[in-house]
Amino acid sequence: MASKPARRKQNPDARMPLREHLLEFRKRIILVAIGIAVFTVAGWFVYTPVFEALQAPILRAADTGDGLVAINFEGLATALDMQIKVSVVIGVVASSPWWLYQLWAFVSPGLRSTERRYTAGFLGAAVPLFLGGVALAWWVFPHAVQILTDFRPENTTNLLNAQMFMTFAMRLVLAFGLAFVFPVVMVALTWSGAVPSRTWLKGWRWAVMGIFVFAAIMTPTPDAITMIIMAIPMCALYFGAIGVGALRERSRRRRAARQQDSADADA
């Protein structure tokens, strides 16, 4: 009597259907929002020293030049609105390990169970890169303010709209932080099989052009040196991410070939 065919074991790493992906995405978004909200409350209490640090280059420009340079709060609720926005940005920066972990947790179901142990490696790379981008933007910001205010003619007044000034500062900080962490996301997408490394490599010209355009927009100083200083590390991280993804793909192919050879030998 012929034996019944053995049942296939369920693959724990099988890809989730679309509905489960959407539910998982919603769950991660809620967790991210809760984490940011908690740190936003903490950011409310450190708003004053952060605002003083952001205002410092304006005060220096006012001391070294002729005329008035100051931040102007135009509306009645402008100061409150700005404090809320700055607190949210502080919350985003401070909670970066939390929401980066949620990003990894959303991507990791596409990885094999043996690869999910790289969570610590992902966070160990993503968090310092994000904070490094934030620190770089923090370093660029006062230089940009100083250079831009130097264009003001003598004996003139430069009253900076508080909302626009703070929006520019916060956008700069978050943009550089996210730009520096994007290569780690590239690696995660390559490891999950969502985007092969050759796809990233094929688009390297567009990526480099986009990086330099981004650097030109986000560094409002008129000199090209600052733009190049910003763009070169981002390009290096982009190609480094491609290299890491390609090495992992090659390792997978070698492991698959060994398993195939072992299966052929046992047949």
Side-chain angles (χ1 to χ4, degrees), residues 123-143:
L123 294 177
V127 173
L129 283 174
F130 177 79
L131 297 179
V134 169
L136 190 59
W138 193 264
W139 174 80
V140 168
F141 177 73
H143 296 281

Side-chain angles (χ1 to χ4, degrees), residues 88-262:
V88 171
V89 175
I90 294 172
V92 172
V93 174
S95 64
S96 56
W98 172 251
W99 55 260
L100 284 169
Y101 168 75
Q102 298 303 324
L103 173 63
W104 174 260
F106 177 70
V107 174
S108 61
L111 301 177
R112 295 184 176 87
S113 57
T114 56
E115 293 173 338
R116 294 175 190 165
R117 67 178 184 271
Y118 293 110
T119 300
F122 173 82
L123 294 177
V127 173
L129 283 174
F130 177 79
L131 297 179
V134 169
L136 190 59
W138 193 264
W139 174 80
V140 168
F141 177 73
H143 296 281
V145 171
Q146 183 64 46
I147 292 174
L148 293 176
T149 53
D150 284 344
F151 284 99
R152 177 179 52 87
E154 294 183 2
N155 300 317
T156 59
T157 299
N158 191 353
L159 295 179
L160 303 173
N161 182 279
Q163 291 278 23
M164 295 179 64
F165 175 78
M166 204 56 61
T167 298
F168 165 72
M170 298 297 99
R171 185 186 67 178
L172 187 72
V173 167
L174 291 180
F176 271 98
L178 294 175
F180 272 62
V181 83
F182 182 70
V184 185
V185 178
M186 289 172 55
V187 172
L189 291 173
T190 300
W191 283 24
S192 67
V195 183
S197 59
R198 64 177 179 273
T199 301
W200 299 114
L201 189 58
K202 286 180 180 178
W204 73 267
R205 294 178 180 85
W206 290 103
V208 170
M209 184 178 69
I211 288 170
F212 273 87
V213 170
F214 172 82
I217 294 173
M218 299 309 300
T219 54
T221 56
D223 61 293
I225 300 299
T226 304
M227 179 192 71
I228 294 173
I229 291 174
M230 300 303 141
I232 288 178
M234 294 169 64
C235 290
L237 290 171
Y238 180 84
F239 287 106
I242 293 176
V244 172
L247 288 174
R248 188 61 187 174
E249 287 176 336
R250 185 172 66 177
S251 176
R252 279 181 176 178
R253 287 194 296 268
R254 287 179 175 177
R255 183 170 62 248
R258 287 196 298 267
Q259 291 174 353
Q260 183 63 40
D261 293 341
S262 176

